[in-house]
Amino acid sequence: KKIDTVTGGFEKYSLEFELTEAPKKDIMIIYGIFSGAGQILIDDIYLGTEENIKYSAADFPDTVFIGLSKSANETFYDDTPDDGKGGFADLGKDMSMIKTGYNKINGVPFYIQEKKDVKSCVILGGAKRPNLPKSITLLLTDGDFSKIGFLYTSLWVKAKKGDKLGAIIVNFQNGVKEEIAMIFKENIFDWYLPTFKDDSPKNLFLFDSPDHIGRALFTLVWKNNKKSGIKSIEFVSDGN
């Protein structure tokens, strides 16, 4: 609403929002400022959570989205638990609720495969599903990256706080390796929210679930300090 007109002929505005209930997530206000004809116009005001913003590839001109299609071993969907046919972790609980397409999660751009019948994620074996692969390698055709963002979670974890669940291993073209350890309740947690208790991870991303309890994903941005080309990325589980 317009409040007043200040010196110089510029108009001052304020925006007031009333929330009917306390939000479960931090919300943001986004608006576009457009100049033209000597005026500054404010338009396209958005109030809500980050994952509800609609993005396209054009919004990320400096980002290369690394496809998992050649290494992915499961889809995000699973209708029947323990039927041996897979689909996510074959638990009957899956990732079908998450927004697909171009996303920005915790400020990190991702592209999430939209087709239900296409394998689009890497699922590794652990205490609940020891039959699944313990490691999967993603080969890169263009490995010239300054940093890489990862989106991940864990399920049915039997490990204790501080235990290593696995690792992301970056293999450089010059033969050097760098390991990113996945440490339980440090940079990776169980996706089931009641297991969090007093933990409040900074890299947490919550999304809704059919039982309305919610599930958790986590983000990590790895920086290529070696400034060398990357040959492949290994995803490894320690079986916990």
Side-chain angles (χ1 to χ4, degrees):
K1 66 180 181 179
K2 180 179 176 182
I3 295 181
D4 56 19
T5 301
V6 298
T7 305
F10 294 99
E11 294 182 337
K12 183 178 178 181
Y13 291 83
S14 72
L15 296 172
E16 296 181 357
F17 297 94
E18 181 177 350
L19 302 179
T20 56
E21 59 182 66
K24 296 180 180 179
K25 303 180 183 180
D26 292 339
I27 61 174
M28 61 178 69
I29 300 175
I30 298 176
Y31 57 86
I33 301 179
F34 303 92
S35 62
Q39 297 179 340
I40 301 296
L41 305 177
I42 297 180
D43 199 1
D44 296 335
I45 295 173
Y46 167 80
L47 172 67
T49 53
E50 187 177 50
E51 69 270 22
N52 291 326
I53 304 173
K54 292 183 179 180
Y55 292 105
S56 68
D59 293 312
F60 309 105
D62 300 321
T63 300
V64 175
F65 293 93
I66 302 173
L68 290 176
S69 58
K70 294 183 179 179
S71 300
N73 61 330
E74 288 296 348
T75 69
F76 282 139
Y77 298 81
D78 181 36
D79 298 324
T80 307
D82 302 309
D83 62 356
K85 296 180 180 180
F88 201 52
D90 197 21
L91 297 171
K93 310 286 186 182
D94 59 27
M95 289 277 292
S96 59
M97 305 81 66
I98 194 170
K99 175 189 167 188
T100 58
Y102 292 97
N103 283 277
K104 200 171 185 181
I105 299 174
N106 290 345
V108 185
F110 292 99
Y111 178 78
I112 299 177
Q113 178 61 253
E114 300 178 72
K115 296 181 180 179
K116 182 175 181 178
D117 57 347
V118 174
K119 292 180 179 180
S120 52
C121 59
V122 170
I123 302 292
L124 301 178
K128 183 72 173 180
R129 289 287 180 263
N131 57 304
L132 292 172
K134 293 298 189 296
S135 68
I136 288 180
T137 300
L138 172 66
L139 298 176
L140 300 180
T141 55
D142 180 8
D144 187 17
F145 301 112
S146 60
K147 57 185 177 181
I148 299 177
F150 297 94
L151 181 65
Y152 57 92
T153 193
S154 62
L155 300 83
W156 291 87
V157 178
K158 301 298 183 182
K160 297 179 181 179
K161 184 175 182 178
D163 287 348
K164 183 180 177 184
L165 297 189
I168 299 172
I169 301 174
V170 180
N171 298 303
F172 294 93
Q173 294 171 354
N174 60 8
V176 176
K177 296 185 177 183
E178 183 173 331
E179 179 178 303
I180 308 165
M182 295 285 101
I183 306 300
F184 189 49
K185 294 201 173 183
E186 288 187 13
N187 59 2
I188 186 169
F189 294 70
D190 194 293
W191 80 330
Y192 189 56
L193 295 189
T195 65
F196 278 50
K197 296 183 179 179
D198 297 328
D199 297 309
S200 182
K202 295 181 180 179
N203 62 338
L204 169 68
F205 170 74
L206 302 178
F207 64 97
D208 198 12
S209 58
D211 57 14
H212 301 297
I213 295 176
R215 297 293 185 271
L217 295 177
F218 308 93
T219 55
L220 181 150
V221 177
W222 170 83
K223 294 183 179 180
N224 184 359
N225 295 320
K226 293 183 172 57
K227 309 299 182 184
S228 178
I230 302 168
K231 180 181 179 181
S232 64
I233 300 174
E234 295 178 65
F235 304 99
V236 180
S237 169
D238 279 18
N240 293 324

